[in-house]
Amino acid sequence: METLKVVWQVEKMDFTRAGEGSSKIKKMLHQFSIRPDIMRRVAIISYEAEVNLVIHSFGGVLQGEVFPDKVVVTAKDKGPGIEDLSKAMKAGFSTAPLEVRELGFGAGMGLPNIKRSADKLDLQSSEEEGTELVATVYLS
Amino acid sequence: MSNFHSVNLREGLCNGCTACVTVCPTEAVRVNSQKAEIMTTRCTDCGACLRACPNHAKTGRVDNMKDLDNYKYKIALPDPAIFGQFAPDVQPERILGSFLSLGFDEVFDVATACDLVSKKIKEKIVKTNHPLISASCPAVIRLIQALYPDLIKNLVTIEAPLEVAGQLARKKAIERGLDSEDIGIFYISPCPAKVTAVKRPVARKKSSVNKVLSIVDLYGNILKFANMKNTKTLQLKASGKGYGWARAGGESLAVGAYNNVVVDGIEHVTKVLGEIEIGKLPNVDYIECWACVGGCVGGPLVVENPFIARVKIRKKAELLNNNVQSSGIDKLDHSIFEWEEEIKPRQIMSLDNNMTVAISKGKKLQEILSKLPGYDCGACGAPTCRAHAEDFVQGSIQSTRCVFKK
Ligand code: SF4
Ligand code: SF4
């Protein structure tokens, strides 16, 4: 099956570029006749996933892939892994350092927002392998 | 002809420099054979290209004074932005009066409609989706339809002052015994976006306004008549806040929005809309977005520098009554304030309606793009390498013509 993909490298703590990968993904979505609410959900997921990579990871890759029936956003990082997954999913829980929160990021809404916007969310994390987030939004 | 737009190219003046190509928020301009071309399906009439053109090759497609001859009774609807265009000693009362000397039978000051609309918006702020986005700049509405379609539901569903003024002016003239056919309503516009709002309204079938003239075209004559002794003066009836709508921030002030954000300049507007889209402004109630720097005082069809015009408007407004003038509003038929039709999204960038076809076109596009250098220099006539590859995939150009191609 043919798919269309955008892949974007995210550097740790590089706030000047935070959001660029997700805007590339959004640009790609504009090439399709996708329902506005779906487009917005993917925009939220990819932005939050990208910001998570910037704040919490040692760097990683953000990817958006369009299938005929769905859009899949993947964020894979090089660690350090999420200590307590169920805690991280709770709204308002954040491990972002104070400097980051002062910038207005890291309010602990990232994962809950992603979860709310995705139809399906897979999250795997370990100290050795890092974290891989796969969020799926169906097109109909 | 739903693709009507009102930015026009004076071919003779265009030298193909591509300055207009890179500023367009919807990538609607290309240069082919040394001349700019506008893709009508994409243009939002924001006027960014008019401003960017060093040769003044782009203009607004407006009507002209000859059109007055087609109507027995002519009403002028001057936009409040007009009051920021003249030197401080040119009195606003004389500016209004000069329209009578120009051949109009009546002047309906749009600022009075700004007062009424302010009151209606205020009611909405209390009870709708937040953040509420102002629907006063037609270029912003069209931008939202094209690039942020999910934000359509955040737009204030109240007609813009220009339309309300047109409706009221016509109604009153009919009540005085005039035949609707004989009435010509002429809006005096600061921009092409409002020309389109009249010729192809988004939220109603037909505008009550018949023709649109530009401030810049009338400027010389208004100045002449305003300075003549025997020109009549007309009293200003709107509040300072009504006139204040002409500048960015004036609308929020008039509607009494407290947790508000004011954004002007189309590139800033696109950024902020993007942030609203991903939920980054959760505590804001009202967002005023203007395509032009400074708001309508900075429209592409005005004369004065926006920063100076803005101060002039502010100073004039400060001399007037500062309470929004909405007495009598309850006696009006409120349908004049409401949108007649829902605003629909416009998918202007889509490669194909069919997902599978669009995906394979997208792959082709990426393949071509990988051979282009990514300088986004505009030398090929497209705003970016990606747009150039897209033109090729969509068949509007037969070969890529990158001067740097490896
Ligand atoms: S800015 Fe655009 S319209 Fe003006 S001369 Fe250059 S290419 Fe032509
Ligand atoms: S800001 Fe005012 S002048 Fe500029 S495009 Fe919008 S409505 Fe027209």
Side-chain angles (χ1 to χ4, degrees), chain B residues 9 14-20 31 36 53-55 57-58:
Chain B
L9 181 76
C14 172
N15 65 3
C17 71
T18 74
C20 59
V31 168
C53 179
N55 304 317
K58 294 257 177 69

Side-chain angles (χ1 to χ4, degrees), chain B residues 45-47 51 136-140 189-194 289-293 295-300:
Chain B
D45 292 306
C46 70
R51 235 185 297 270
S136 305
C137 173
V140 170
S189 178
C191 67
K194 288 183 177 176
C289 295
W290 300 101
C292 300
V293 170
C296 298
V297 287

Side-chain angles (χ1 to χ4, degrees), chain B residues 387-406:
Chain B
H388 190 50
E390 185 185 313
D391 289 348
F392 179 74
V393 169
Q394 290 297 61
S396 60
I397 51 171
Q398 299 335 308
S399 59
T400 54
R401 42 177 184 231
C402 174
V403 286
F404 299 109
K405 200 150 117 194
K406 293 164 251 178

